[in-house]
Structures are given as structure tokens and as C-alpha cells.
Amino acid sequence: MSENATRTERDSMGELQVPVAALYGAQTQRAVENFPISGLTMPRPFIRALGLIKAAAARTNAELGLLDTDIAEAIARAANAVAAGEHDAQFPVDVFQTGSGTSTNMNANEVIARLAGEDLGRTVHPNDHVNMGQSSNDVIPTAIHVSAALLAREALLPALGHLARTLEARAGELADVTTTGRTHLMDAMPVTLGQELGGWAAQVRAGMQRVEGALDTVQALAQGGTAVGTGINAHPDFGAGVARRLGEETGVDFRVAEDRFEALSSQDAAVALSGQLRTVAVSLMKIANDLRWMNSGPLAGLGEIALPALQPGSSIMPGKVNPVIPESVAMVAAQVMGNDATIGVAGQSGNFQLNVMLPVIAYNLLQSETLLANSARVLADSAISGFTVNESRLQAALDRNPILVTALNAVIGYEKGAAIAKKAYQEDRPVREVAREMTDLSDGELDRLLDPRALAAGGLPGQQRS
């Protein structure tokens, strides 16, 4: 049979030629022809969520006495196959389609109906059976929430937890390694590498908490609101039944939204989650850039650490090795920030009873979660866990850090300290030497007051916190 062979399908607008091997029907084909925009299709987590929703809907309708059990079970089997990724090639509709996502909902209805019909040996209708009690206007918002919640809980949060634990482990290993602190990219008081990495870990864990907080509203579903929020053509218990079954299937506490009009007309929960993803991206950008600075050199930069050498860094300069993982993570962060801007604009498009930029919200939100999850693991495993420390370079910089004189302020005063710092810097000499010449402090007092490890511990000069 020719690859270009077609069959005739019909919908309410008439006949249309559909590829003979396609499981979908006329409405999907119309969308394929109408939207040759980007070549981007709805992501796998979204198709998974659609399958889960259709299975839960069929079984709920059967439980409510609205759908024959054999048809419901055939639909559920087909929908679960869709959820498992067995038919992803049958979802060709472009992301940039009708703003409600109707084309993608009907794509799922047509594929599942055909699979269920083949299973039963009789016709299963995409609208009357698979879409029973539903509208694209509540299915697609529900699928956004379900897919975003599952992806966050199954991929993003575990990946961020892995990154945080990796940072904490390295912080413990490097707890006693002192380095020069920097503010404004200028030398400041000493800190330990353990403190630096501990700060990064705290950023990541705070980001996890923010995402967790945003997921509470994401787990509230629009299902049951149907076309405009009134629930027309759906049993009053349908939405709650779907949410319950989705929870049983996934282990996530899904529930019906308190107000379905809000759930259909706005995407504020997705906008809020995206904002927290942006915050996580900002944290990863900060960590990535700090690593790039610390790794810079090896001769003309800071050269404090050496990231794992993963690949040649230049097509023309032999031996050059670049900080490729932090650069990759920084690009991910930039993409997530851009996605958040798109989601923010799209969230404003809730006109009256329906948001009409649902597909692009779904695409960008799920891409952000996926990128952050993958980059967090790569950052942990290919950069954080394996970098080495150039302790001699750290010590040489500490010895000549004129800012150490800050520890003498309480003893000799700010003005005297400034004079010592300027002379030490001008003559490229250790602060300890210059202070010995310009004060009457003993060697023992200077050693105690200028001990970098003690200074990194904080507290009064020479006193380490317990």
C-alpha cells in the first residue's frame, strides 16, 4: 500500500481524506491541515494526562450508569495505551492551534474511539462515548493541571532533591576549605567552600518548597465544568468521580476545583507554578555562573576549582576545556524565564468563560519542568559531584587579601585598618606582614585575629562559634 494512501472520513463539516494508517479521523486531519505552524506537537506528559483523563471519564460514566460497561472498559484500555505512549505518533496536531485545544481533545477522542472499536468489534463514537460528559473546555485545563502535577512530582522535585543532596554532600566534604569571599565580584571576608555550597543547596531546597506550594492549586481540576462552567451534559458527580479515579491511578491528591468558572476561564494556577519554576531557574543560573567564575582560567582566571573535563572546548585551540555543563544549565534557565513570560501573557487571555491560549501554556509549562529536571541532574552528576579544588590557589589569594584587615577594626579602628589594607594591596604583601609593621600587635595576636578559618566561622575576631 502506498505511503500516500488515504481513506474517506466524515465529520459534521463533511468528508475529508485521512491517511489510511492513521488511527485518528476527520477532525484531527482538519487540524493538521489548518495549522502547519511550527512542527511542535503536544508533549508526552500532556498526552499521558489526556489518556488518564479519558480512562477515568469512561469508568466514571459507567459507574454512574451512563455508559455500557463493555464500551467503558474498551475505552479505558485504549486510553491507558495512549497514556503509556503506545500511540504518540497518532498525535500530530501543532501546538499553535485553536486556543481551547479542541483539536487535541478530538485527536484523543478519535484515536481512542478507533482503538476501542477495534477491540470490541463494533463502533465506538469519539463524541458520544469517549467524550461523554466532557468538553474540550474542561478536558484541556484538566490535562494541563494533571500533566504539570505529575511531571513535577515524578521528575522535577526528585531531580532538585538529588541536586540538593549532592550539594550538601560536597559542602560537608569541603567544610574546612577556606576561600576568599566576594561581594560586587571584589575580594571580601573569608568563607568556606562548604558555606558556599550550603547556600546553593538552601536555594534549591527553598525552590522545591515553592514548587510544592504551587502544586496545591494545580491539583484542583476543572473537570465537570464542561463548556462554560455550568456542567451542562455532565452528571453532577462526574467531575468528582474523575478526580477520585485520577488520584487512585497516580497517587496524587487531585480534587474538583471549588469554582469551575474560575477553573475554565483562568489559568492562574499554571501561571503561579510557572513563576516558581522561574525562581528555580534563577537559582540554577546563579549556581551555574558561580561555578563558571570559580573554574575560570586556568591561569588568567580565578582557577579555584576544576570542573570535570568532558569534551574538547575549541575547534582551533588545542587543549582548551570549557565549563559546558554550567553553560548548558544557564541556557536552560534563560529558556525557562522566556517560557514564564509566554505563560504570563497567555494567562491574560481568559476571555469571559474560557482561556484561549491553553495549548501554548501546556507546552511551555511542561517544557520548563522537563528542562529544569534534566539540567538539575546533569548539574549534580557532571559538575558538582566531580569538581576538584585548587587549595594552594585559594591559600595564596587568602594570604594577600587586604580585606582581612576588617578583623582588626575592633582593635585598631577603621582608619588604621584602611591604611594597612591600601599598603598591603599597593605592595602586594600579606596583610599580616604590613599590620606587624604598622601596629604594636604581637605575632600571636595577629595570627589569632587574622585566622581565615576562624573568620569564616563568624563572631568576634578570634572567636569561633560553637
Side-chain angles (χ1 to χ4, degrees):
M1 185 178 297
S2 168
E3 291 182 2
N4 298 321
T6 62
R7 67 177 191 271
T8 301
E9 289 281 346
R10 172 179 287 275
D11 61 10
S12 61
M13 295 184 70
E15 292 184 348
L16 197 68
Q17 295 302 302
V18 176
V20 71
L23 296 177
Y24 52 80
Q27 292 202 45
T28 301
Q29 184 62 32
R30 288 191 194 281
V32 170
E33 294 176 7
N34 287 337
F35 306 113
I37 306 298
S38 69
L40 302 173
T41 55
M42 299 303 286
R44 164 100 281 277
F46 188 85
I47 302 304
R48 175 196 178 193
L50 267 182
L52 293 174
I53 291 164
K54 296 299 178 179
R59 287 180 167 142
T60 299
N61 280 322
E63 182 182 339
L64 294 171
L66 303 174
L67 189 61
D68 290 345
T69 301
D70 59 344
I71 295 179
E73 286 304 312
I75 289 172
R77 286 191 294 272
N80 283 329
V82 166
E86 296 177 20
H87 302 288
D88 284 356
Q90 299 296 324
F91 289 84
V93 179
D94 202 275
V95 168
F96 300 96
Q97 53 171 286
T98 176
S100 62
T102 297
S103 298
T104 292
N105 182 43
M106 283 308 304
N107 189 174
N109 290 336
E110 290 178 340
V111 169
I112 292 168
R114 187 174 182 87
L115 290 169
E118 291 174 352
D119 184 8
L120 282 179
R122 66 180 191 270
T123 300
V124 174
H125 197 280
N127 297 83
D128 296 339
H129 296 139
V130 182
N131 201 58
M132 177 181 282
Q134 305 152 60
S135 165
S136 301
N137 296 356
D138 62 355
V139 167
I140 299 301
T142 296
I144 291 173
H145 281 213
V146 170
S147 57
L150 292 179
L151 190 56
R153 296 202 177 280
E154 295 173 358
L156 176 59
L157 290 172
L160 292 174
H162 175 64
L163 174 58
R165 290 189 297 275
T166 303
L167 286 166
E168 288 158 354
R170 292 306 313 267
E173 294 170 15
L174 302 172
D176 295 325
V177 179
T178 309
T179 185
T180 302
R182 293 182 180 86
T183 58
H184 303 269
L185 292 180
M186 305 298 288
D187 297 343
M189 293 301 291
V191 297
T192 68
L193 287 180
Q195 289 168 331
E196 282 194 308
L197 270 69
W200 298 346
Q203 273 189 286
V204 174
R205 291 210 177 274
M208 293 173 65
Q209 291 173 358
R210 294 183 181 103
V211 170
E212 282 273 11
L215 287 178
D216 180 64
T217 51
V218 171
Q219 288 166 201
L221 307 181
Q223 204 65 57
T226 65
V228 293
T230 60
I232 185 71
N233 288 350
H235 190 285
D237 297 328
F238 175 73
V242 171
R244 173 176 54 80
R245 289 180 179 277
L246 286 170
E248 292 169 353
E249 178 70 23
T250 64
V252 174
D253 184 23
F254 291 114
R255 64 187 187 280
V256 174
E258 291 183 10
D259 189 306
R260 292 191 179 105
F261 295 95
E262 183 272 341
L264 266 67
S265 64
S266 81
Q267 278 294 300
D268 291 352
V271 171
L273 175 58
S274 178
Q276 301 305 348
L277 299 180
R278 179 190 177 102
T279 302
V280 172
V282 168
S283 295
L284 295 189
M285 178 80 88
K286 184 263 194 293
I287 295 168
N289 282 334
D290 280 357
L291 287 169
R292 291 173 60 227
W293 277 105
M294 293 163 73
N295 180 78
S296 62
L299 299 179
L302 296 180
E304 295 180 343
I305 66 170
L307 292 166
L310 300 178
Q311 62 188 61
S314 174
S315 61
I316 190 172
M317 293 176 282
K320 192 172 188 292
V321 178
N322 297 330
V324 294
I325 298 301
E327 290 173 353
S328 172
V329 171
M331 285 190 284
V332 162
Q335 181 70 37
V336 171
M337 293 174 200
N339 287 351
D340 180 60
T342 297
I343 291 168
V345 171
Q348 299 173 52
S349 295
N351 307 130
F352 299 108
Q353 277 67 61
L354 182 67
N355 183 286
V356 290
M357 289 198 183
L358 297 176
V360 80
I361 290 174
Y363 185 87
N364 283 276
L365 189 64
L366 298 176
Q367 185 190 66
S368 290
E369 289 185 310
T370 300
L371 290 175
L372 289 173
N374 292 343
S375 63
R377 288 196 178 276
V378 169
L379 183 63
D381 296 339
S382 299
I384 301 295
S385 65
F387 74 74
T388 57
V389 180
N390 186 347
E391 293 196 42
S392 61
R393 187 80 168 247
L394 298 182
Q395 189 59 52
L398 277 170
D399 288 343
R400 281 172 164 70
N401 181 4
I403 306 303
L404 286 177
V405 78
T406 303
L408 304 181
N409 283 357
V411 180
I412 64 174
Y414 184 94
E415 297 299 334
K416 186 74 168 180
I420 292 171
K422 288 177 183 177
K423 184 172 183 181
Y425 178 74
Q426 289 169 353
E427 298 179 3
D428 192 24
R429 295 167 58 197
V431 166
R432 184 181 278 100
E433 285 184 14
V434 178
R436 187 180 296 116
E437 295 174 1
M438 297 179 64
T439 71
D440 57 2
L441 295 171
S442 68
D443 288 345
E445 288 176 305
L446 288 170
D447 288 342
R448 177 178 63 83
L449 292 169
L450 298 175
D451 178 9
R453 281 195 176 88
L455 294 174
L460 295 173
Q463 292 185 344
Q464 190 167 353
R465 291 178 178 171
S466 60

